[in-house]
Amino acid sequence: MIKIYHNPRCRKSREGLDLLEKSGKEFEVIKYLEDVPTKEELRQILSCLSISPENLVRKNEAIWKEKFRGKLLSDEEILEAMIQYPKLIERPIVVKGNKAVVGRPPERIQEVL
């Protein structure tokens, strides 16, 4: 099953969702600001993306700049920050099996379809 971690207020995320809808494939929408991923779910996503937690963080978010920028954080601390402040999680993320992409630009979603 394809999953999209989606923020309806984000234009890129809406574009990614539109792409999935047009694909005709079944998928599940996870509004991750409401249904915050667990640390284990984030680890799984990171594994599928083959990136470190820091590379999944939206560093231009005010909360990152105010609370975390310039600090030396462990992967665990970054995971905790993303759980506490899910706005920090890059979006949209599309996962299919053991493959995933961050849909920026949204056309990257084609890589997992």
Side-chain angles (χ1 to χ4, degrees), residues 36-92:
V36 180
T38 66
K39 193 181 287 187
E40 195 50 48
E41 287 172 317
L42 283 173
R43 282 192 183 109
Q44 181 70 32
I45 291 167
L46 290 163
S47 174
C48 292
L49 289 167
S50 298
I51 62 172
S52 68
E54 185 175 6
N55 291 323
L56 194 60
V57 170
R58 297 175 51 82
K59 294 186 180 75
N60 286 328
E61 286 291 336
I63 196 77
W64 180 262
K65 291 176 181 178
E66 293 166 13
K67 295 189 175 279
F68 305 105
R69 185 173 61 187
K71 295 183 179 178
L72 188 58
L73 300 171
S74 69
D75 286 353
E76 286 298 307
E77 290 169 319
I78 294 170
L79 286 169
E80 289 291 337
M82 286 191 282
I83 291 167
Q84 188 173 0
Y85 306 102
K87 273 182 87 172
L88 292 175
I89 301 170
E90 192 59 82
R91 60 195 180 243

